[in-house]
Amino acid sequence: MAMMAHTDKGKERPLKQWSYVLRQSGFTRFTVNRIHAVQSVIEAYP
């Protein structure tokens, strides 16, 4: 939401889209840690 407020190019992505983006970027595995806030923390590993 904050990104979308500061630029017209930001967008929210569901987990399926993040998986596609990360794998296409060369990351072999990743974890998504949900936190008690609007955002989540994504850890990506080569």
Side-chain angles (χ1 to χ4, degrees):
M1 297 288 285
M3 183 190 322
M4 292 170 53
H6 295 287
T7 179
D8 61 349
K9 297 181 183 180
K11 76 186 238 184
E12 292 186 45
R13 297 181 188 271
L15 183 57
K16 185 176 180 180
Q17 285 183 350
W18 275 118
S19 177
Y20 175 79
V21 168
L22 292 167
R23 293 191 193 287
Q24 291 297 310
S25 299
F27 294 100
T28 57
R29 64 185 180 97
F30 65 92
T31 58
V32 177
N33 298 312
R34 305 215 185 273
I35 57 175
H36 296 290
V38 177
Q39 301 88 1
S40 295
V41 176
I42 299 174
E43 297 175 302
Y45 307 94

mmCIF file of all heavy atoms in Angstrom:
data_model
loop_
_atom_site.group_PDB
_atom_site.id
_atom_site.type_symbol
_atom_site.label_atom_id
_atom_site.label_comp_id
_atom_site.label_asym_id
_atom_site.label_seq_id
_atom_site.Cartn_x
_atom_site.Cartn_y
_atom_site.Cartn_z
ATOM 1 N N MET A 1 0.825 -1.187 0.000
ATOM 2 C CA MET A 1 0.000 0.000 0.000
ATOM 3 C C MET A 1 0.867 1.248 0.000
ATOM 4 O O MET A 1 0.573 2.182 -0.714
ATOM 5 C CB MET A 1 -0.927 -0.018 1.213
ATOM 6 C CG MET A 1 -1.922 -1.155 1.234
ATOM 7 S SD MET A 1 -3.235 -0.974 0.046
ATOM 8 C CE MET A 1 -4.219 0.264 0.822
ATOM 9 N N ALA A 2 1.918 1.252 0.812
ATOM 10 C CA ALA A 2 2.783 2.441 0.865
ATOM 11 C C ALA A 2 3.455 2.667 -0.480
ATOM 12 O O ALA A 2 3.566 3.806 -0.939
ATOM 13 C CB ALA A 2 3.830 2.274 1.964
ATOM 14 N N MET A 3 3.907 1.592 -1.138
ATOM 15 C CA MET A 3 4.540 1.743 -2.439
ATOM 16 C C MET A 3 3.557 2.310 -3.456
ATOM 17 O O MET A 3 3.909 3.155 -4.269
ATOM 18 C CB MET A 3 5.057 0.392 -2.945
ATOM 19 C CG MET A 3 5.799 0.497 -4.269
ATOM 20 S SD MET A 3 6.201 -1.065 -5.083
ATOM 21 C CE MET A 3 6.635 -2.131 -3.766
ATOM 22 N N MET A 4 2.334 1.863 -3.389
ATOM 23 C CA MET A 4 1.330 2.329 -4.335
ATOM 24 C C MET A 4 0.977 3.789 -4.103
ATOM 25 O O MET A 4 0.548 4.472 -5.019
ATOM 26 C CB MET A 4 0.091 1.432 -4.248
ATOM 27 C CG MET A 4 0.379 0.031 -4.750
ATOM 28 S SD MET A 4 -0.919 -1.178 -4.422
ATOM 29 C CE MET A 4 -2.348 -0.408 -5.082
ATOM 30 N N ALA A 5 1.176 4.277 -2.892
ATOM 31 C CA ALA A 5 0.873 5.678 -2.591
ATOM 32 C C ALA A 5 1.966 6.609 -3.098
ATOM 33 O O ALA A 5 1.709 7.780 -3.359
ATOM 34 C CB ALA A 5 0.695 5.865 -1.089
ATOM 35 N N HIS A 6 3.194 6.104 -3.264
ATOM 36 C CA HIS A 6 4.327 6.943 -3.653
ATOM 37 C C HIS A 6 4.669 6.853 -5.130
ATOM 38 O O HIS A 6 5.466 7.640 -5.624
ATOM 39 C CB HIS A 6 5.558 6.585 -2.823
ATOM 40 C CG HIS A 6 5.381 6.897 -1.368
ATOM 41 N ND1 HIS A 6 5.384 8.174 -0.885
ATOM 42 C CD2 HIS A 6 5.150 6.091 -0.314
ATOM 43 C CE1 HIS A 6 5.176 8.150 0.412
ATOM 44 N NE2 HIS A 6 5.026 6.889 0.792
ATOM 45 N N THR A 7 4.127 5.899 -5.837
ATOM 46 C CA THR A 7 4.405 5.740 -7.259
ATOM 47 C C THR A 7 3.208 5.114 -7.945
ATOM 48 O O THR A 7 2.409 4.436 -7.308
ATOM 49 C CB THR A 7 5.665 4.873 -7.490
ATOM 50 O OG1 THR A 7 5.870 4.742 -8.900
ATOM 51 C CG2 THR A 7 5.537 3.499 -6.886
ATOM 52 N N ASP A 8 3.089 5.337 -9.219
ATOM 53 C CA ASP A 8 1.980 4.720 -9.948
ATOM 54 C C ASP A 8 2.379 3.368 -10.546
ATOM 55 O O ASP A 8 1.613 2.738 -11.244
ATOM 56 C CB ASP A 8 1.468 5.652 -11.040
ATOM 57 C CG ASP A 8 2.528 5.983 -12.083
ATOM 58 O OD1 ASP A 8 3.717 5.669 -11.874
ATOM 59 O OD2 ASP A 8 2.159 6.575 -13.109
ATOM 60 N N LYS A 9 3.597 2.903 -10.250
ATOM 61 C CA LYS A 9 4.077 1.642 -10.812
ATOM 62 C C LYS A 9 4.132 0.507 -9.798
ATOM 63 O O LYS A 9 4.459 -0.611 -10.146
ATOM 64 C CB LYS A 9 5.458 1.846 -11.433
ATOM 65 C CG LYS A 9 5.407 2.817 -12.598
ATOM 66 C CD LYS A 9 6.746 2.995 -13.231
ATOM 67 C CE LYS A 9 6.589 4.041 -14.334
ATOM 68 N NZ LYS A 9 7.789 4.313 -15.041
ATOM 69 N N GLY A 10 3.841 0.782 -8.537
ATOM 70 C CA GLY A 10 3.863 -0.254 -7.516
ATOM 71 C C GLY A 10 2.635 -1.141 -7.605
ATOM 72 O O GLY A 10 1.589 -0.727 -8.092
ATOM 73 N N LYS A 11 2.772 -2.388 -7.179
ATOM 74 C CA LYS A 11 1.604 -3.275 -7.158
ATOM 75 C C LYS A 11 1.801 -4.343 -6.104
ATOM 76 O O LYS A 11 2.927 -4.724 -5.777
ATOM 77 C CB LYS A 11 1.350 -3.879 -8.531
ATOM 78 C CG LYS A 11 2.264 -4.999 -8.943
ATOM 79 C CD LYS A 11 2.005 -5.411 -10.379
ATOM 80 C CE LYS A 11 1.636 -6.838 -10.515
ATOM 81 N NZ LYS A 11 1.484 -7.273 -11.908
ATOM 82 N N GLU A 12 0.704 -4.804 -5.580
ATOM 83 C CA GLU A 12 0.746 -5.906 -4.631
ATOM 84 C C GLU A 12 0.776 -7.201 -5.417
ATOM 85 O O GLU A 12 0.150 -7.318 -6.458
ATOM 86 C CB GLU A 12 -0.487 -5.870 -3.728
ATOM 87 C CG GLU A 12 -0.496 -4.680 -2.804
ATOM 88 C CD GLU A 12 -1.643 -4.740 -1.817
ATOM 89 O OE1 GLU A 12 -1.873 -5.818 -1.248
ATOM 90 O OE2 GLU A 12 -2.300 -3.711 -1.634
ATOM 91 N N ARG A 13 1.530 -8.164 -4.913
ATOM 92 C CA ARG A 13 1.650 -9.454 -5.588
ATOM 93 C C ARG A 13 1.246 -10.575 -4.640
ATOM 94 O O ARG A 13 1.670 -10.597 -3.498
ATOM 95 C CB ARG A 13 3.086 -9.705 -6.026
ATOM 96 C CG ARG A 13 3.617 -8.734 -7.041
ATOM 97 C CD ARG A 13 5.046 -9.112 -7.423
ATOM 98 N NE ARG A 13 5.652 -8.114 -8.257
ATOM 99 C CZ ARG A 13 5.573 -8.094 -9.580
ATOM 100 N NH1 ARG A 13 4.909 -9.032 -10.206
ATOM 101 N NH2 ARG A 13 6.154 -7.142 -10.278
ATOM 102 N N PRO A 14 0.481 -11.541 -5.135
ATOM 103 C CA PRO A 14 0.199 -12.727 -4.324
ATOM 104 C C PRO A 14 1.428 -13.643 -4.320
ATOM 105 O O PRO A 14 2.374 -13.479 -5.112
ATOM 106 C CB PRO A 14 -0.978 -13.379 -5.039
ATOM 107 C CG PRO A 14 -0.918 -12.883 -6.431
ATOM 108 C CD PRO A 14 -0.280 -11.532 -6.372
ATOM 109 N N LEU A 15 1.436 -14.615 -3.450
ATOM 110 C CA LEU A 15 2.566 -15.529 -3.305
ATOM 111 C C LEU A 15 2.918 -16.212 -4.625
ATOM 112 O O LEU A 15 4.103 -16.386 -4.940
ATOM 113 C CB LEU A 15 2.256 -16.575 -2.232
ATOM 114 C CG LEU A 15 3.369 -17.556 -1.912
ATOM 115 C CD1 LEU A 15 4.636 -16.833 -1.477
ATOM 116 C CD2 LEU A 15 2.914 -18.518 -0.846
ATOM 117 N N LYS A 16 1.936 -16.579 -5.416
ATOM 118 C CA LYS A 16 2.200 -17.253 -6.693
ATOM 119 C C LYS A 16 3.029 -16.362 -7.621
ATOM 120 O O LYS A 16 3.953 -16.834 -8.277
ATOM 121 C CB LYS A 16 0.877 -17.628 -7.357
ATOM 122 C CG LYS A 16 1.031 -18.432 -8.610
ATOM 123 C CD LYS A 16 -0.310 -18.855 -9.155
ATOM 124 C CE LYS A 16 -0.158 -19.665 -10.426
ATOM 125 N NZ LYS A 16 -1.441 -20.076 -10.959
ATOM 126 N N GLN A 17 2.736 -15.068 -7.675
ATOM 127 C CA GLN A 17 3.508 -14.153 -8.509
ATOM 128 C C GLN A 17 4.915 -13.949 -7.958
ATOM 129 O O GLN A 17 5.881 -13.871 -8.711
ATOM 130 C CB GLN A 17 2.807 -12.810 -8.648
ATOM 131 C CG GLN A 17 1.631 -12.847 -9.585
ATOM 132 C CD GLN A 17 1.008 -11.476 -9.754
ATOM 133 O OE1 GLN A 17 1.321 -10.529 -9.041
ATOM 134 N NE2 GLN A 17 0.106 -11.378 -10.712
ATOM 135 N N TRP A 18 5.054 -13.850 -6.626
ATOM 136 C CA TRP A 18 6.386 -13.711 -6.034
ATOM 137 C C TRP A 18 7.225 -14.931 -6.354
ATOM 138 O O TRP A 18 8.417 -14.825 -6.636
ATOM 139 C CB TRP A 18 6.304 -13.494 -4.527
ATOM 140 C CG TRP A 18 6.091 -12.071 -4.158
ATOM 141 C CD1 TRP A 18 5.026 -11.541 -3.497
ATOM 142 C CD2 TRP A 18 6.967 -10.968 -4.429
ATOM 143 N NE1 TRP A 18 5.191 -10.187 -3.349
ATOM 144 C CE2 TRP A 18 6.376 -9.810 -3.916
ATOM 145 C CE3 TRP A 18 8.198 -10.859 -5.071
ATOM 146 C CZ2 TRP A 18 6.969 -8.557 -4.016
ATOM 147 C CZ3 TRP A 18 8.783 -9.609 -5.177
ATOM 148 C CH2 TRP A 18 8.174 -8.483 -4.646
ATOM 149 N N SER A 19 6.639 -16.107 -6.299
ATOM 150 C CA SER A 19 7.351 -17.335 -6.621
ATOM 151 C C SER A 19 7.889 -17.275 -8.044
ATOM 152 O O SER A 19 9.053 -17.577 -8.302
ATOM 153 C CB SER A 19 6.425 -18.538 -6.451
ATOM 154 O OG SER A 19 7.080 -19.713 -6.833
ATOM 155 N N TYR A 20 7.060 -16.857 -8.980
ATOM 156 C CA TYR A 20 7.472 -16.747 -10.382
ATOM 157 C C TYR A 20 8.604 -15.728 -10.533
ATOM 158 O O TYR A 20 9.629 -16.013 -11.160
ATOM 159 C CB TYR A 20 6.279 -16.349 -11.252
ATOM 160 C CG TYR A 20 6.663 -16.097 -12.693
ATOM 161 C CD1 TYR A 20 6.875 -17.164 -13.568
ATOM 162 C CD2 TYR A 20 6.837 -14.813 -13.168
ATOM 163 C CE1 TYR A 20 7.244 -16.941 -14.878
ATOM 164 C CE2 TYR A 20 7.206 -14.579 -14.478
ATOM 165 C CZ TYR A 20 7.411 -15.642 -15.330
ATOM 166 O OH TYR A 20 7.782 -15.411 -16.633
ATOM 167 N N VAL A 21 8.463 -14.550 -9.955
ATOM 168 C CA VAL A 21 9.472 -13.487 -10.069
ATOM 169 C C VAL A 21 10.803 -13.949 -9.482
ATOM 170 O O VAL A 21 11.863 -13.764 -10.097
ATOM 171 C CB VAL A 21 8.987 -12.196 -9.369
ATOM 172 C CG1 VAL A 21 10.111 -11.183 -9.224
ATOM 173 C CG2 VAL A 21 7.828 -11.577 -10.132
ATOM 174 N N LEU A 22 10.777 -14.547 -8.306
ATOM 175 C CA LEU A 22 12.013 -14.977 -7.662
ATOM 176 C C LEU A 22 12.705 -16.096 -8.433
ATOM 177 O O LEU A 22 13.923 -16.083 -8.618
ATOM 178 C CB LEU A 22 11.743 -15.394 -6.219
ATOM 179 C CG LEU A 22 11.345 -14.243 -5.295
ATOM 180 C CD1 LEU A 22 10.786 -14.776 -3.988
ATOM 181 C CD2 LEU A 22 12.514 -13.302 -5.051
ATOM 182 N N ARG A 23 11.945 -17.053 -8.904
ATOM 183 C CA ARG A 23 12.554 -18.153 -9.662
ATOM 184 C C ARG A 23 13.121 -17.664 -10.995
ATOM 185 O O ARG A 23 14.190 -18.102 -11.416
ATOM 186 C CB ARG A 23 11.552 -19.279 -9.866
ATOM 187 C CG ARG A 23 11.204 -19.947 -8.549
ATOM 188 C CD ARG A 23 10.433 -21.228 -8.734
ATOM 189 N NE ARG A 23 9.862 -21.685 -7.477
ATOM 190 C CZ ARG A 23 10.546 -22.219 -6.486
ATOM 191 N NH1 ARG A 23 11.837 -22.358 -6.576
ATOM 192 N NH2 ARG A 23 9.945 -22.610 -5.388
ATOM 193 N N GLN A 24 12.442 -16.763 -11.659
ATOM 194 C CA GLN A 24 12.948 -16.200 -12.910
ATOM 195 C C GLN A 24 14.200 -15.352 -12.672
ATOM 196 O O GLN A 24 15.012 -15.163 -13.573
ATOM 197 C CB GLN A 24 11.872 -15.353 -13.601
ATOM 198 C CG GLN A 24 10.719 -16.155 -14.151
ATOM 199 C CD GLN A 24 11.168 -17.115 -15.234
ATOM 200 O OE1 GLN A 24 11.857 -16.741 -16.166
ATOM 201 N NE2 GLN A 24 10.778 -18.378 -15.106
ATOM 202 N N SER A 25 14.369 -14.844 -11.460
ATOM 203 C CA SER A 25 15.538 -14.037 -11.103
ATOM 204 C C SER A 25 16.724 -14.893 -10.674
ATOM 205 O O SER A 25 17.789 -14.365 -10.362
ATOM 206 C CB SER A 25 15.184 -13.070 -9.975
ATOM 207 O OG SER A 25 14.160 -12.204 -10.385
ATOM 208 N N GLY A 26 16.546 -16.213 -10.622
ATOM 209 C CA GLY A 26 17.647 -17.109 -10.311
ATOM 210 C C GLY A 26 17.702 -17.607 -8.882
ATOM 211 O O GLY A 26 18.645 -18.310 -8.512
ATOM 212 N N PHE A 27 16.720 -17.272 -8.061
ATOM 213 C CA PHE A 27 16.702 -17.765 -6.688
ATOM 214 C C PHE A 27 16.117 -19.166 -6.665
ATOM 215 O O PHE A 27 15.088 -19.427 -7.264
ATOM 216 C CB PHE A 27 15.899 -16.824 -5.790
ATOM 217 C CG PHE A 27 16.535 -15.473 -5.639
ATOM 218 C CD1 PHE A 27 16.088 -14.399 -6.386
ATOM 219 C CD2 PHE A 27 17.594 -15.281 -4.766
ATOM 220 C CE1 PHE A 27 16.682 -13.154 -6.262
ATOM 221 C CE2 PHE A 27 18.192 -14.038 -4.635
ATOM 222 C CZ PHE A 27 17.738 -12.971 -5.386
ATOM 223 N N THR A 28 16.806 -20.072 -5.970
ATOM 224 C CA THR A 28 16.365 -21.469 -5.962
ATOM 225 C C THR A 28 15.353 -21.762 -4.864
ATOM 226 O O THR A 28 14.572 -22.695 -4.971
ATOM 227 C CB THR A 28 17.564 -22.416 -5.790
ATOM 228 O OG1 THR A 28 18.252 -22.071 -4.582
ATOM 229 C CG2 THR A 28 18.521 -22.301 -6.965
ATOM 230 N N ARG A 29 15.387 -20.970 -3.798
ATOM 231 C CA ARG A 29 14.397 -21.154 -2.724
ATOM 232 C C ARG A 29 14.162 -19.827 -2.018
ATOM 233 O O ARG A 29 14.985 -18.924 -2.076
ATOM 234 C CB ARG A 29 14.826 -22.237 -1.745
ATOM 235 C CG ARG A 29 16.065 -21.949 -0.970
ATOM 236 C CD ARG A 29 16.474 -23.145 -0.103
ATOM 237 N NE ARG A 29 17.665 -22.851 0.638
ATOM 238 C CZ ARG A 29 17.680 -22.429 1.899
ATOM 239 N NH1 ARG A 29 16.549 -22.288 2.558
ATOM 240 N NH2 ARG A 29 18.814 -22.161 2.504
ATOM 241 N N PHE A 30 13.040 -19.761 -1.346
ATOM 242 C CA PHE A 30 12.699 -18.545 -0.615
ATOM 243 C C PHE A 30 11.705 -18.876 0.479
ATOM 244 O O PHE A 30 11.057 -19.917 0.456
ATOM 245 C CB PHE A 30 12.121 -17.473 -1.555
ATOM 246 C CG PHE A 30 10.814 -17.856 -2.184
ATOM 247 C CD1 PHE A 30 9.622 -17.505 -1.588
ATOM 248 C CD2 PHE A 30 10.782 -18.573 -3.360
ATOM 249 C CE1 PHE A 30 8.407 -17.863 -2.157
ATOM 250 C CE2 PHE A 30 9.581 -18.929 -3.941
ATOM 251 C CZ PHE A 30 8.398 -18.573 -3.340
ATOM 252 N N THR A 31 11.629 -17.996 1.459
ATOM 253 C CA THR A 31 10.625 -18.108 2.513
ATOM 254 C C THR A 31 9.924 -16.767 2.634
ATOM 255 O O THR A 31 10.516 -15.709 2.407
ATOM 256 C CB THR A 31 11.242 -18.482 3.874
ATOM 257 O OG1 THR A 31 12.201 -17.493 4.237
ATOM 258 C CG2 THR A 31 11.918 -19.831 3.832
ATOM 259 N N VAL A 32 8.662 -16.819 2.985
ATOM 260 C CA VAL A 32 7.870 -15.614 3.227
ATOM 261 C C VAL A 32 7.432 -15.645 4.684
ATOM 262 O O VAL A 32 6.750 -16.579 5.107
ATOM 263 C CB VAL A 32 6.639 -15.536 2.301
ATOM 264 C CG1 VAL A 32 5.810 -14.316 2.619
ATOM 265 C CG2 VAL A 32 7.075 -15.541 0.840
ATOM 266 N N ASN A 33 7.870 -14.664 5.441
ATOM 267 C CA ASN A 33 7.515 -14.576 6.852
ATOM 268 C C ASN A 33 6.470 -13.478 7.024
ATOM 269 O O ASN A 33 6.761 -12.305 6.821
ATOM 270 C CB ASN A 33 8.751 -14.256 7.705
ATOM 271 C CG ASN A 33 9.794 -15.342 7.590
ATOM 272 O OD1 ASN A 33 9.480 -16.507 7.715
ATOM 273 N ND2 ASN A 33 11.017 -14.965 7.333
ATOM 274 N N ARG A 34 5.287 -13.877 7.376
ATOM 275 C CA ARG A 34 4.222 -12.895 7.595
ATOM 276 C C ARG A 34 4.437 -12.247 8.962
ATOM 277 O O ARG A 34 4.742 -12.928 9.938
ATOM 278 C CB ARG A 34 2.874 -13.571 7.539
ATOM 279 C CG ARG A 34 2.703 -14.331 6.230
ATOM 280 C CD ARG A 34 1.301 -14.292 5.740
ATOM 281 N NE ARG A 34 1.128 -15.123 4.564
ATOM 282 C CZ ARG A 34 1.344 -14.706 3.332
ATOM 283 N NH1 ARG A 34 1.770 -13.500 3.116
ATOM 284 N NH2 ARG A 34 1.140 -15.510 2.311
ATOM 285 N N ILE A 35 4.309 -10.939 9.007
ATOM 286 C CA ILE A 35 4.472 -10.201 10.254
ATOM 287 C C ILE A 35 3.190 -9.423 10.528
ATOM 288 O O ILE A 35 2.346 -9.280 9.646
ATOM 289 C CB ILE A 35 5.701 -9.262 10.199
ATOM 290 C CG1 ILE A 35 5.582 -8.288 9.028
ATOM 291 C CG2 ILE A 35 6.989 -10.061 10.092
ATOM 292 C CD1 ILE A 35 6.689 -7.257 8.982
ATOM 293 N N HIS A 36 3.040 -8.941 11.719
ATOM 294 C CA HIS A 36 1.836 -8.208 12.092
ATOM 295 C C HIS A 36 1.922 -6.770 11.593
ATOM 296 O O HIS A 36 2.020 -5.821 12.350
ATOM 297 C CB HIS A 36 1.642 -8.240 13.609
ATOM 298 C CG HIS A 36 1.400 -9.623 14.135
ATOM 299 N ND1 HIS A 36 0.242 -10.323 13.896
ATOM 300 C CD2 HIS A 36 2.197 -10.453 14.849
ATOM 301 C CE1 HIS A 36 0.317 -11.508 14.451
ATOM 302 N NE2 HIS A 36 1.503 -11.617 15.039
ATOM 303 N N ALA A 37 1.935 -6.639 10.307
ATOM 304 C CA ALA A 37 1.972 -5.333 9.638
ATOM 305 C C ALA A 37 1.418 -5.540 8.237
ATOM 306 O O ALA A 37 1.000 -6.641 7.886
ATOM 307 C CB ALA A 37 3.405 -4.800 9.582
ATOM 308 N N VAL A 38 1.436 -4.539 7.451
ATOM 309 C CA VAL A 38 0.931 -4.652 6.086
ATOM 310 C C VAL A 38 1.861 -5.505 5.234
ATOM 311 O O VAL A 38 1.424 -6.281 4.414
ATOM 312 C CB VAL A 38 0.779 -3.239 5.461
ATOM 313 C CG1 VAL A 38 0.332 -3.322 4.017
ATOM 314 C CG2 VAL A 38 -0.194 -2.416 6.278
ATOM 315 N N GLN A 39 3.164 -5.393 5.445
ATOM 316 C CA GLN A 39 4.145 -6.084 4.630
ATOM 317 C C GLN A 39 4.498 -7.451 5.200
ATOM 318 O O GLN A 39 4.209 -7.760 6.342
ATOM 319 C CB GLN A 39 5.444 -5.266 4.531
ATOM 320 C CG GLN A 39 5.272 -3.905 3.957
ATOM 321 C CD GLN A 39 4.933 -2.846 5.007
ATOM 322 O OE1 GLN A 39 4.839 -3.124 6.172
ATOM 323 N NE2 GLN A 39 4.704 -1.639 4.553
ATOM 324 N N SER A 40 5.174 -8.233 4.377
ATOM 325 C CA SER A 40 5.794 -9.489 4.793
ATOM 326 C C SER A 40 7.273 -9.371 4.510
ATOM 327 O O SER A 40 7.711 -8.520 3.748
ATOM 328 C CB SER A 40 5.231 -10.670 3.989
ATOM 329 O OG SER A 40 3.869 -10.852 4.273
ATOM 330 N N VAL A 41 8.055 -10.242 5.112
ATOM 331 C CA VAL A 41 9.497 -10.282 4.863
ATOM 332 C C VAL A 41 9.763 -11.480 3.958
ATOM 333 O O VAL A 41 9.391 -12.610 4.286
ATOM 334 C CB VAL A 41 10.279 -10.411 6.189
ATOM 335 C CG1 VAL A 41 11.770 -10.556 5.901
ATOM 336 C CG2 VAL A 41 10.013 -9.218 7.082
ATOM 337 N N ILE A 42 10.416 -11.235 2.830
ATOM 338 C CA ILE A 42 10.759 -12.314 1.899
ATOM 339 C C ILE A 42 12.266 -12.517 1.956
ATOM 340 O O ILE A 42 13.028 -11.594 1.744
ATOM 341 C CB ILE A 42 10.335 -11.967 0.460
ATOM 342 C CG1 ILE A 42 8.818 -11.761 0.380
ATOM 343 C CG2 ILE A 42 10.786 -13.068 -0.499
ATOM 344 C CD1 ILE A 42 8.333 -11.275 -0.954
ATOM 345 N N GLU A 43 12.675 -13.760 2.254
ATOM 346 C CA GLU A 43 14.083 -14.127 2.246
ATOM 347 C C GLU A 43 14.312 -15.006 1.033
ATOM 348 O O GLU A 43 13.667 -16.029 0.896
ATOM 349 C CB GLU A 43 14.459 -14.888 3.502
ATOM 350 C CG GLU A 43 14.298 -14.081 4.780
ATOM 351 C CD GLU A 43 14.581 -14.928 5.994
ATOM 352 O OE1 GLU A 43 13.908 -15.965 6.164
ATOM 353 O OE2 GLU A 43 15.464 -14.529 6.770
ATOM 354 N N ALA A 44 15.216 -14.600 0.130
ATOM 355 C CA ALA A 44 15.498 -15.363 -1.073
ATOM 356 C C ALA A 44 16.950 -15.819 -1.051
ATOM 357 O O ALA A 44 17.833 -15.077 -0.643
ATOM 358 C CB ALA A 44 15.229 -14.512 -2.304
ATOM 359 N N TYR A 45 17.172 -17.063 -1.484
ATOM 360 C CA TYR A 45 18.500 -17.671 -1.460
ATOM 361 C C TYR A 45 18.913 -18.113 -2.853
ATOM 362 O O TYR A 45 18.105 -18.702 -3.563
ATOM 363 C CB TYR A 45 18.504 -18.893 -0.532
ATOM 364 C CG TYR A 45 17.971 -18.583 0.849
ATOM 365 C CD1 TYR A 45 16.630 -18.798 1.147
ATOM 366 C CD2 TYR A 45 18.802 -18.058 1.830
ATOM 367 C CE1 TYR A 45 16.134 -18.499 2.408
ATOM 368 C CE2 TYR A 45 18.313 -17.761 3.085
ATOM 369 C CZ TYR A 45 16.977 -17.987 3.366
ATOM 370 O OH TYR A 45 16.493 -17.690 4.608
ATOM 371 N N PRO A 46 20.173 -17.849 -3.222
ATOM 372 C CA PRO A 46 20.645 -18.273 -4.566
ATOM 373 C C PRO A 46 20.808 -19.771 -4.664
ATOM 374 O O PRO A 46 20.804 -20.479 -3.719
ATOM 375 C CB PRO A 46 21.992 -17.572 -4.713
ATOM 376 C CG PRO A 46 22.406 -17.193 -3.341
ATOM 377 C CD PRO A 46 21.169 -17.145 -2.502
#
